[in-house]
């Protein structure tokens, strides 16, 4: 049983590997505001090698190793909920950090960590965040298992007697159904329906459109036109007394009379 627990505690999971990082010797912090990588000199670079972020069961380790032999140069331990105490970003650049390294005997020191690319620094932050999420999820799982164990215990209570005692009664209110003929079906069968008023059709007293004129060279139309003109002339003569001069000639005096008569007749005729 003890060997199984040791194997479980020694289980590690690599979260990130960066092939080349730079380590700087940094001056002491003069203010409480933080560290600035602009104050680090190029001559203060003390080591270049590989960085590896490893997740153990109870902590996260940032290991600085030799890329060829794998020899450990330094290690930074990040405990759950104490990331700010072990890893601190620089104030003036997102590629530089300050690590708190320990030798295992209680002694610690602060060194500067620099990445060549911004995406490597971003992946470093993501790896630390993933470890925090893992620890939080495991703690919630353990808390959920404890609650499930508590809920697994079922309390058995005696059955409750819901039978009526002697002399007790139950009153039930029942709604009366509507009488037949008062529902919607009776209203529909009564014959009283609302008819929609429709407008009457248009009357035939309106003006009709005139027919189309006949073609110009139609003989039947010419005969019809001449007959219509003849009837119109006869009607006009019948209605106009001055149109017939035959009666006027009958009323004129004859030319075989006396000279005076001739003169009068001639004068009248001249008139």
């Amino acid at each position: 049983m003890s060997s199984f627990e040791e194997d479980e505690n020694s289980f590690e999971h690599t979260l990130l590997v960066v092939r080349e990082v730079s380590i700087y010797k940094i001056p002491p912090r003069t203010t409480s505001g933080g560290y600035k990588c602009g104050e680090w000199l190029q001559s203060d670079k003390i080591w270049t090698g590989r960085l590896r972020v490893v997740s153990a069961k109870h902590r996260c380790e940032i290991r600085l190793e030799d890329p060829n032999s794998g020899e450990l140069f330094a290690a930074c331990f990040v405990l759950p909920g104490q990331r700010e105490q072990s890893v601190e970003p620089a104030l003036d650049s997102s590629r530089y950090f300050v690590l708190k390294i320990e030798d295992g005997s209680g002694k610690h020191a602060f060194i500067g960590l620099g990445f060549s690319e911004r995406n490597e620094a971003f992946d470093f932050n993501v790896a630390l965040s993933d470890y925090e999420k893992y620890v939080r999820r495991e703690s919630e799982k353990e808390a959920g298992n404890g609650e499930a164990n508590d809920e697994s215990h079922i309390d058995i209570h005696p059955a409750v007697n819901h039978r009526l005692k002697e002399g007790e009664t139950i009153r039930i209110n029942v709604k009366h159904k509507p009488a037949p003929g008062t529902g919607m079906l009776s209203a529909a069968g009564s014959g009283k329906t609302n008819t929609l008023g429709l407008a009457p059709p248009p009357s035939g007293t309106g003006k009709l459109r005139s027919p189309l004129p006949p073609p110009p060279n139609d003989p039947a139309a010419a005969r019809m036109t001449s007959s219509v003109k003849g009837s119109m002339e006869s009607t006009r003569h019948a209605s106009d007394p001055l149109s017939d001069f035959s009666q006027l000639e009958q009323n004129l005096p004859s030319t075989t009379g006396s000279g005076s008569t001739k003169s009068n007749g001639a004068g009248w005729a001249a008139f």
Side-chain angles (χ1 to χ4, degrees):
M1 183 67 180
S2 60
S3 61
F4 177 76
E5 292 179 354
E6 291 178 359
D7 293 339
E8 187 178 359
N9 294 333
S10 61
F11 176 76
E12 297 178 352
H13 178 61
T14 301
L15 302 178
L16 176 68
V17 176
V18 180
R19 293 183 178 181
E20 184 175 352
V21 295
S22 300
I23 300 299
Y24 297 87
K25 180 182 178 181
I26 60 176
R29 180 167 54 183
T30 57
T31 61
S32 60
Y35 293 93
K36 293 183 179 180
C37 63
E39 300 176 355
W40 307 345
L41 300 178
Q42 189 66 23
S43 59
D44 294 335
K45 183 187 293 186
I46 58 177
W47 185 82
T48 301
R50 181 179 62 192
L51 178 140
R52 197 155 60 100
V53 180
V54 179
S55 172
K57 183 172 179 60
H58 298 292
R59 67 183 180 183
C60 178
E61 298 181 5
I62 303 173
R63 298 178 181 177
L64 303 174
E65 302 172 344
D66 185 89
N68 298 322
S69 62
E71 183 181 358
L72 182 65
F73 172 75
C76 174
F77 305 115
V78 180
L79 299 178
Q82 301 180 10
R83 175 180 173 181
E84 293 78 7
Q85 299 178 7
S86 302
V87 181
E88 184 178 351
L91 299 177
D92 52 350
S93 178
S94 61
R95 296 189 294 114
Y96 291 87
F97 299 84
V98 175
L99 303 181
K100 178 183 178 181
I101 59 175
E102 299 180 8
D103 60 354
S105 61
K107 297 180 181 180
H108 67 274
F110 294 94
I111 59 175
L113 170 65
F115 293 92
S116 301
E117 302 293 337
R118 293 185 183 275
N119 56 350
E120 295 176 347
F122 176 78
D123 294 339
F124 177 70
N125 280 322
V126 171
L128 297 179
S129 299
D130 290 342
Y131 170 73
E132 292 178 349
K133 292 179 182 178
Y134 167 76
V135 172
R136 189 182 307 113
R137 186 166 56 250
E138 289 296 324
S139 60
E140 292 176 356
K141 185 185 299 184
E142 293 177 358
N145 292 334
E147 293 178 358
N149 293 332
D150 295 339
E151 294 177 357
S152 61
H153 299 286
I154 301 175
D155 296 333
I156 301 176
H157 299 283
V160 180
N161 186 8
H162 296 283
R163 290 181 297 180
L164 296 177
K165 297 180 180 180
E166 185 178 358
E168 292 182 347
T169 58
I170 297 177
R171 177 180 296 178
I172 301 176
N173 295 327
V174 180
K175 295 183 179 180
H176 297 283
K177 295 183 178 180
T182 60
M184 297 177 62
L185 296 178
S186 62
S190 61
K192 295 181 180 181
T193 57
N194 296 327
T195 58
L196 299 176
L198 300 178
S203 60
T205 58
K207 294 183 179 180
L208 298 178
R209 301 176 65 180
S210 60
L212 297 176
N217 298 328
D218 190 2
R223 288 194 298 271
M224 185 179 297
T225 304
S226 61
S227 62
V228 171
K229 287 183 179 181
S231 61
M232 290 177 64
E233 287 290 337
S234 60
T235 304
R236 185 173 61 84
H237 286 298
S239 60
D240 189 5
L242 297 180
S243 61
D244 191 6
F245 290 96
S246 60
Q247 296 181 2
L248 183 61
E249 290 179 354
Q250 293 177 3
N251 296 330
L252 291 177
S254 63
T255 57
T256 58
S258 59
S260 60
T261 306
K262 292 180 179 179
S263 60
N264 292 335
W268 193 88
F271 176 77

